[in-house]
């Protein structure tokens, strides 16, 4: 009998305020109950008692790769092909620099206009630094396939659009790109932990992602990177950090790359953040990503249908077709920011993305029908009674 995820059991693993409908796990996942004790152990027993010896005695030095092996099944990657550390922007830069070096005679970096700005900024900055005539091309997401050609060096896409939740058909795009000799980079920041990713099956060259959204590692949690088997040995990292060296404690003056994906480690691992991630990953010992995806679609349809019936002023920004949507549902409203603030003040937490997007993360590990129905009811009340039209709701905070 296949294992079926008990979502009551997964919900019990999280520490959420009573009565809160938390639909923002696609931005920052909630605290798992196990995290404080695990971080406290790293503080008191490891750092506090072992001091510098904890790098060996507590396994700190191996933690980036051990966590990579815990993430690997969620992205369809094999053991030993994923490592963690640094930030997602750093991992994007590393992957893109390596990808361009693998296609030295081509000059186009193909992405799309819906990609997360930081990914695009990394591409723009790297192109300026290389000063070899590279250019970034960003057509609308639905037109990416039309821009594939032999002049393209790299296809760099985020599978799920951070604003609308639109999902690329990555398997098809990767197959098309590979047939044209294009190196592929797949950002799964809004996919890992929300839906099955098939890095091995698609043959994608690089996968990058963060852990503080659907993997619940906490603010500033470490990023990860996967490199296709057999490709890593061809990479000379642009960011040749000391922990990507074959023998970091030999302190050699010249760089000598470590084996496989370990050469894409850069700086000293953020041990306390990694301890939090290690504890947060325990939920995947009892949860199936396939069950999470199936349940997410049920809850997403419930939100879409409920809002359509009760909130006629909202415009669905996400695709209605299940297969075209990630783990979030987004709506458009001209006063989206103020509407979201009114919702948050009433215990329904989503977020806002400019210019007019109300965004809701559908995370079955800790939400169910009750949270969806409450969201719809309060959203309808806020809109019907114009509860968003107050100075407090219009006041812009630094983080939206």
């Amino acid at each position: 009998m296949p294992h079926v995820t008990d979502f009551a059991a997964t919900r019990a693993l999280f520490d959420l305020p009573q009565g809160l409908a938390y639909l923002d796990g696609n931005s920052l996942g909630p605290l798992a109950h196990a995290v404080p004790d695990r971080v406290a152990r790293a503080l008191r027993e490891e750092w506090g008692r072992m001091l510098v010896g904890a790098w060996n005695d507590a396994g700190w030095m191996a933690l980036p790769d051990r966590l990579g092996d815990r993430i690997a099944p969620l992205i369809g990657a094999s053991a030993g092909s994923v490592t963690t550390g640094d930030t997602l922007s750093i991992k994007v830069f590393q992957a893109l620099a390596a990808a361009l070096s693998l296609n030295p005679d081509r000059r186009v970096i193909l992405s799309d206009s819906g990609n997360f700005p930081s990914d695009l900024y990394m591409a723009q900055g790297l192109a300026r630094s290389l000063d070899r005539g590279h250019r970034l091309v960003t057509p609308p997401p639905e037109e990416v396939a039309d821009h594939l050609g032999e002049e393209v060096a790299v296809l760099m896409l985020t599978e799920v659009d951070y604003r609308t939740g639109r999902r690329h058909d990555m398997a098809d795009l990767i197959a098309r790109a590979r047939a044209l000799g294009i190196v592929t980079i797949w950002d799964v920041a809004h996919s890992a932990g929300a839906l099955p990713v098939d890095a091995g099956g698609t043959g994608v060259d690089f996968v990058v992602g963060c852990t503080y959204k659907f993997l619940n590692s906490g603010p500033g949690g470490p990023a990860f990177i996967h490199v296709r088997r057999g490709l890593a040995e061809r990479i000379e990292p642009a960011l040749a950090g000391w922990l990507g060296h074959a023998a970091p404690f030999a302190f050699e003056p010249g760089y000598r790359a470590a084996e496989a994906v370990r050469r894409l480690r850069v700086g000293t691992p953020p041990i306390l953040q990694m301890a939090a991630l290690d504890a947060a990953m325990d939920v995947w010992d009892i949860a199936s990503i396939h069950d999470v995806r199936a349940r997410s679609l049920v809850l997403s349809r419930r939100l879409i249908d409920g809002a359509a019936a009760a909130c006629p002023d909202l415009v669905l920004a996400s695709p209605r077709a299940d297969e075209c949507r990630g783990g979030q549902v987004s709506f458009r409203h001209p006063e989206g920011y103020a509407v979201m603030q009114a919702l948050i003040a009433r215990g329904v937490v989503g977020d806002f993305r400019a210019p007019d997007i109300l965004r809701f993360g559908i995370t079955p590990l800790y939400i169910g029908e009750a949270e969806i129905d409450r969201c719809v009811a309060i959203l309808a009340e806020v809109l019907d009674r114009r509860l968003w039209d107050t100075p407090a709701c219009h006041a812009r905070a630094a983080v939206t």
Side-chain angles (χ1 to χ4, degrees):
M1 290 285 292
H3 174 72
V4 177
T5 302
D6 179 351
F7 287 109
T10 64
R11 184 188 184 108
L13 297 180
F14 291 92
D15 185 6
L16 281 163
Q18 188 70 30
L20 186 74
Y22 190 70
L23 289 95
D24 206 16
N26 56 319
S27 184
L28 177 67
L31 178 70
H33 285 296
V35 167
D37 286 345
R38 177 65 184 86
V39 173
R41 186 168 83 242
L43 282 167
R44 296 194 183 98
E45 298 178 21
E46 297 173 4
W47 182 18
R49 297 288 177 264
M50 300 177 191
L51 296 165
V52 71
W55 286 106
N56 292 319
D57 298 340
W60 284 358
M61 190 56 71
L63 193 53
D65 301 323
R66 185 169 69 79
L67 288 172
D69 284 346
R70 298 195 77 182
I71 291 168
L74 295 178
I75 64 169
S78 58
S81 70
V82 181
T83 194
T84 57
D86 314 300
T87 68
L88 178 52
S89 293
I90 294 296
K91 294 307 177 197
V92 168
F93 185 95
Q94 285 184 287
L96 183 56
L100 290 175
S101 73
L102 294 168
N103 255 341
D105 297 326
R106 301 187 184 191
R107 292 293 179 266
V108 173
I109 303 165
L110 178 60
S111 188
D112 71 59
S113 59
N115 205 348
F116 192 68
S118 188
D119 289 23
L120 303 181
Y121 301 161
M122 288 293 111
Q124 292 163 3
L126 179 58
R128 285 195 302 271
S129 298
L130 293 173
D131 195 22
R132 297 176 190 162
H134 291 98
R135 60 190 179 93
L136 176 65
V137 177
T138 56
E142 61 274 12
E143 296 178 12
V144 167
D146 297 334
H147 286 74
L148 294 170
E150 293 184 354
E151 74 283 1
V152 176
V154 180
L155 175 65
M156 180 184 73
L157 294 174
T158 298
E159 182 181 21
V160 175
D161 188 300
Y162 76 103
R163 285 193 182 100
T164 67
R166 180 193 185 276
R167 183 185 181 192
H168 277 297
D169 185 342
M170 291 302 299
D172 177 66
L173 288 170
I174 290 166
R176 290 172 181 246
R178 286 175 62 83
L180 292 166
I182 299 168
V183 182
T184 52
I185 302 172
W186 192 351
D187 184 336
V188 296
H190 288 270
S191 308
L195 50 87
V197 175
D198 188 13
T202 60
V204 65
D205 295 307
F206 299 88
V207 177
V208 296
C210 62
T211 62
Y212 51 81
K213 300 180 188 294
F214 294 101
L215 298 183
N216 310 301
S217 68
F224 61 87
I225 186 166
H226 157 79
V227 183
R228 178 170 56 81
R229 286 287 188 188
L231 183 63
E233 286 72 14
R234 297 169 53 194
I235 295 169
E236 288 294 328
L239 294 176
W242 79 297
L243 285 188
H245 192 282
F249 287 89
F251 299 111
E252 298 171 5
Y255 179 77
R256 183 163 50 90
E259 292 183 357
V261 74
R262 296 187 69 223
R263 67 185 56 197
L264 293 176
R265 291 172 56 165
V266 182
T268 303
I271 294 301
L272 300 182
Q273 291 175 325
M274 287 186 169
L277 171 59
D278 198 22
M281 289 297 294
D282 288 349
V283 70
W284 298 104
D285 293 339
I286 63 170
S288 157
I289 189 62
H290 297 281
D291 291 346
V292 166
R293 174 60 171 169
R295 180 74 170 141
S296 172
L297 292 176
V298 170
L299 296 176
S300 296
R301 288 192 295 267
R302 191 179 186 96
L303 177 56
I304 290 170
D305 293 343
C311 308
D313 290 343
L314 293 181
V315 175
L316 181 65
S318 299
R320 185 171 286 276
D322 287 348
E323 67 275 12
C324 298
R325 190 176 63 248
Q328 70 183 60
V329 174
S330 298
F331 300 98
R332 297 188 186 277
H333 189 280
E335 297 292 344
Y337 178 83
V339 171
M340 184 55 71
Q341 302 319 299
L343 283 175
I344 292 170
R346 289 159 179 81
V348 175
V349 180
D351 63 15
F352 170 79
R353 290 294 178 263
D356 59 357
I357 295 284
L358 294 99
R359 195 173 71 153
F360 300 95
I362 311 300
T363 45
L365 293 177
Y366 50 83
I367 68 167
E369 285 87 349
E371 287 78 15
I372 298 297
D373 293 347
R374 184 175 176 207
C375 176
V376 171
I378 294 179
L379 189 51
E381 181 184 21
V382 164
L383 293 171
D384 290 346
R385 297 175 56 192
R386 293 179 63 90
L387 299 177
W388 53 266
D389 199 7
T390 68
C393 289
H394 283 287
R396 292 285 178 131
V399 177
T400 63

